[in-house]
Amino acid sequence: MHERAARIRTAIAVLILLPFLAATGAAQTLTLGFAGEVVQNRWNPIVFTFRDASNVTLSVRADYGTLRTGAIWFDWSAQIAGGPGLNVFQDDIYLGEWQSLSWSASTSDRVIASGTLNPRDQDPRASDVILSTAPGRHLGIYADGARIAGTQDAALPQRLASWDGVRSLLIDGSTAPPRAAALAAAAAAGAHVMLLTPLPASFDELLLLAPEEANRYGAGYILVGDAGTLARVASELDSQRIDLAALELQLAGINAPPRPPRLALSIVLYCVVTFSVLVLVLLRFAGIAGALTVAALGALLLAVSWSAVRSSEDRISTELELHLSAGGLSRSLQSLKLIDLPGNTVSLAGAWRPTDAWEYRISAGGTSFHPERWQLLSLVRRPVLAEAGRALAPAEAPEFDALLSLLPAGTVLFGGPGLLEAHLP
Amino acid sequence: MNVFRAIDQELRTELVTQVSAGILVALVLVLVISWPVGPLVANNTWFTVAAARRLLLALLALYLGYARSRAPAGARLATCLTLVVLSLVTAPFEVLAFMVSHPLASLPFSLVLTVALPVAVYGAALLLAAWLGRVRAAWLAVPLVPLLLTALGLVDEVLDRLLFTPFAVATPAAAGNVAFWSCLAVATLVMLSVGAGVARRHPEAVPAGGGGS
């Protein structure tokens, strides 16, 4: 009898403690992309939530290799100070086509969380984010095959790169209002932000961003209207959507690779043969005096030609930045081509990604690559919200025609040293 | 005879002219063959030219060390300094290749190593040939010196350090390597200078050598 009562007491205790145990188990969560919808070959938001841990290192390690190339590792890490209570860390991470992807969060003495992402879950389609308590109600606005990511969290990211893989953002007013800066960042990144009316009064500030049905900001739009209007305007504007991946490639193509100074082989041959004959003649007929003469002559010639033949910098690079501007906001696209002649480790401030398959590492200190000697690195920087409307001269060179063909009709291109600004209509 | 006059005479000999011509032709060929063709192809000329120059001078030093093992002390010193002169007059090839190649290496270290290595090899060959000559096996010095260099390379492999390998790329981290070969070269020069000084002061004490080429 006592035994039975003890079992019942244990069962009751377990039932009471179960929610607390479950809550403890979910104390650390990592979310990649909006609502876990990771967009391949795009910058994705990464959010790590944890409790009661200090000095946490969050690491993501992905293999971008193929069967032919072998493993090509990408390492991303962040140092989080943390502390007691709830901690939320947010950043953006570019995810290419991975063979394996694992993440871990650890303190100095233990791993507090870890996980993997299945390569079969990769999807290059941009996502359509719905900020609503009932996202399913609005599916009619979207075409078939849309990749819907529903969220109720109104604390949307204000970093432009977070919205790189987002096709549209729908807000129906059933949640708390997000910040206007987040909407501006989403629109500037290229998303169509749709404000579904009627909206509660708390959304009036957001409506100030959309005086008309369609309002262009940076590379995207803020649309306002009822469901029918939004569906119509959005489908009309879809044809004007900028293919940002193609634009990045085109920009990298225009950004000519740096060229190290070269000596023609014929000149080298002429110089070394002449010098060799001089050495032989002087050694044979002038002995030690001849040796001293050719040594001095060689030193003099090399000293004179040093600056002409040798590049003054071991690292040479060319940089070209394109701003897609409209409504006072700009989305930046930045291409950097770099050659480190001796093959040193290249460390750059900020977050960059290579356009080709390269091993690289992003940490708090920036991005680092380990190129071979004389290897051309073609890099693209994480997009940011940039200043629009700089005083630049019109850029009308023929090499920009291909770039303009990727932008909406009526776009005017302005340019300065290393900078292009496209004023979208 | 004055040491400078001895070097002067040595440099004008048929042998030095022929080996200099051989080394210079080889360096020109190496430079031309290793020169890159495309604008973005890595220029790795320096790695080939520096290694070829060091190897050619070391081989010449090996031969001359063996050949001069029975020569008078003054002639031995003159030959050693002739090697230094040949290192100096072929240095522009390496500097030119360094200028265009941008290697992750130290040019001064490489130049010093390419002067020190032939002198050290010459000293080793001379010493070994002299010792082995007592048992009528001076010829063994020719294979023994390369074996010695290989053994030094193996020691580096075992220690996982860059201390003794004579054909390593002279990076700034290889200071120990340059110091080692420089010490051997200085020891060779000191040994030969002392020998030449003794021979000059007491000509009757040192038997006249009959060897050499």
Side-chain angles (χ1 to χ4, degrees):
Chain A
M1 192 67 183
H2 282 295
E3 195 177 329
R4 191 177 173 190
R7 279 183 188 169
I8 291 169
R9 277 200 299 272
T10 307
I12 291 169
V14 166
L15 282 172
I16 290 169
L17 287 173
L18 199 58
F20 296 102
L21 292 171
T24 309
Q28 294 88 27
T29 54
L30 181 99
T31 309
L32 276 167
F34 285 95
E37 295 288 341
V38 177
V39 182
Q40 186 193 325
N41 297 327
R42 288 279 153 208
W43 292 89
N44 288 270
I46 179 170
V47 182
F48 182 56
T49 310
F50 62 101
R51 284 182 182 279
D52 304 326
S54 301
N55 299 322
V56 174
T57 303
L58 178 62
S59 312
V60 177
R61 188 169 167 79
D63 174 11
Y64 291 155
T66 60
L67 279 176
R68 185 176 289 176
T69 62
I72 297 173
W73 292 107
F74 159 59
D75 288 296
W76 180 95
S77 66
Q79 295 292 328
I80 311 166
L86 182 69
N87 296 279
V88 180
F89 169 81
Q90 297 188 38
D91 201 355
D92 302 305
I93 184 170
Y94 183 88
L95 292 176
E97 187 177 346
W98 72 84
Q99 301 297 323
S100 68
L101 190 150
S102 59
W103 65 272
S104 70
S106 56
T107 59
S108 57
D109 54 346
R110 68 191 177 101
V111 175
I112 59 171
S114 62
T116 59
L117 256 67
N118 193 330
R120 288 181 185 276
D121 294 339
Q122 294 181 93
D123 193 341
R125 290 177 304 157
S127 59
D128 292 288
V129 180
I130 302 177
L131 179 64
S132 170
T133 52
R137 284 189 305 187
H138 308 298
L139 295 182
I141 293 176
Y142 299 96
D144 290 342
R147 192 178 175 197
I148 307 295
T151 180
Q152 295 183 34
D153 186 3
L156 297 173
Q158 296 172 37
R159 304 175 305 278
L160 185 141
S162 300
W163 300 96
D164 190 39
V166 174
R167 196 168 157 275
S168 70
L169 165 66
L170 178 78
I171 297 166
D172 69 353
S174 61
T175 62
R179 285 181 175 273
L183 266 59
H192 289 177
V193 178
M194 298 187 279
L195 301 174
L196 182 62
T197 53
L199 288 167
S202 56
F203 285 72
D204 285 353
E205 186 198 355
L206 301 184
L207 288 171
L208 292 175
L209 292 170
E212 297 171 23
E213 269 186 0
N215 309 272
R216 190 184 270 287
Y217 288 99
Y221 283 94
I222 297 183
L223 315 176
V224 65
D226 56 24
T229 307
L230 288 179
R232 177 178 53 80
V233 177
S235 70
E236 282 172 11
L237 292 176
D238 263 350
S239 60
Q240 292 185 31
R241 200 178 278 278
I242 300 167
D243 185 347
L244 291 163
L247 201 61
E248 274 181 351
L249 279 177
Q250 193 62 49
L251 187 70
I254 295 172
N255 187 17
R259 293 195 174 260
R262 281 280 182 186
L263 252 185
L265 180 57
S266 53
I267 296 173
V268 174
L269 192 60
Y270 176 77
C271 291
V272 293
V273 168
T274 308
F275 181 75
S276 300
V277 171
L278 204 62
V279 169
L280 286 176
V281 170
L282 286 174
L283 284 186
R284 177 74 180 179
F285 297 108
I288 197 163
L292 291 173
T293 306
V294 285
L297 188 66
L300 186 70
L301 286 173
L302 290 168
V304 169
S305 58
W306 183 276
S307 58
V309 174
R310 188 176 165 85
S311 172
S312 58
E313 298 286 332
D314 279 345
R315 187 174 295 172
I316 48 177
S317 61
T318 55
E319 204 167 338
L320 185 60
E321 192 172 353
L322 172 67
H323 288 181
L324 300 175
S325 304
L329 296 178
S330 272
R331 176 195 162 121
S332 75
L333 292 98
Q334 193 172 351
S335 161
L336 172 68
K337 287 192 175 167
L338 181 148
I339 299 175
D340 191 277
L341 299 171
N344 290 304
T345 298
V346 173
S347 297
L348 301 168
W352 297 78
R353 68 171 182 87
T355 55
D356 304 313
W358 272 99
E359 289 203 344
Y360 68 111
R361 180 182 178 81
I362 295 181
S363 62
T367 312
S368 58
F369 299 85
H370 302 279
E372 300 289 321
R373 282 172 37 75
W374 291 63
Q375 190 87 47
L376 175 67
L377 273 179
S378 179
L379 310 173
V380 177
R381 191 167 198 169
R382 172 166 57 183
V384 290
L385 201 60
E387 183 190 344
R390 294 191 192 178
L392 299 167
E396 291 168 344
E399 69 253 33
F400 301 139
D401 290 350
L403 199 69
L404 280 169
S405 70
L406 295 169
L407 296 168
T411 300
V412 184
L413 203 59
F414 293 86
L419 178 67
L420 293 170
E421 183 162 347
H423 287 236
L424 303 173
Chain B
M1 186 166 44
N2 183 301
V3 70
F4 288 106
R5 187 167 296 170
I7 302 167
D8 190 64
Q9 281 185 1
E10 181 109 7
L11 286 172
R12 292 167 193 258
T13 58
E14 192 70 28
L15 174 73
V16 170
T17 305
Q18 283 180 7
V19 294
S20 306
I23 289 173
L24 290 167
V25 167
L27 287 177
V28 169
L29 285 176
V30 166
L31 195 75
V32 170
I33 290 168
S34 61
W35 199 262
V37 283
L40 284 176
V41 179
N43 191 327
N44 293 322
T45 308
W46 178 81
F47 295 95
T48 323
V49 169
R53 192 168 85 92
R54 214 175 291 167
L55 179 68
L56 289 168
L57 288 170
L59 285 174
L60 177 64
L62 175 62
Y63 164 70
L64 289 178
Y66 164 67
R68 295 282 191 268
S69 61
R70 295 174 65 193
R76 291 176 182 176
L77 179 62
T79 304
C80 185
L81 292 173
T82 300
L83 280 169
V84 174
V85 169
L86 288 180
S87 294
L88 290 177
V89 296
T90 53
F93 283 83
E94 188 173 334
V95 178
L96 174 68
F98 188 92
M99 280 161 57
V100 292
S101 294
H102 290 266
L104 195 59
S106 163
L107 180 62
F109 276 10
S110 182
L111 293 177
V112 169
L113 192 58
T114 310
V115 174
L117 178 69
V119 173
V121 168
Y122 176 77
L126 209 59
L127 211 59
L128 279 174
W131 284 344
L132 292 166
R134 293 176 188 172
V135 290
R136 294 180 180 276
W139 58 273
L140 266 176
V142 177
L144 272 180
V145 174
L147 279 176
L148 196 65
L149 297 182
T150 311
L152 288 172
L154 287 175
V155 172
D156 271 4
E157 284 287 320
V158 171
L159 295 177
D160 198 19
R161 293 273 175 91
L162 194 60
L163 282 176
F164 308 121
T165 311
F167 295 106
V169 174
T171 59
N177 185 273
V178 178
F180 172 75
W181 287 103
S182 300
C183 287
L184 287 188
V186 169
T188 301
L189 284 171
V190 168
M191 180 185 79
L192 292 173
S193 302
V194 170
V198 170
R200 200 164 49 245
R201 280 194 297 274
H202 310 286
E204 70 290 349
V206 180
S213 57

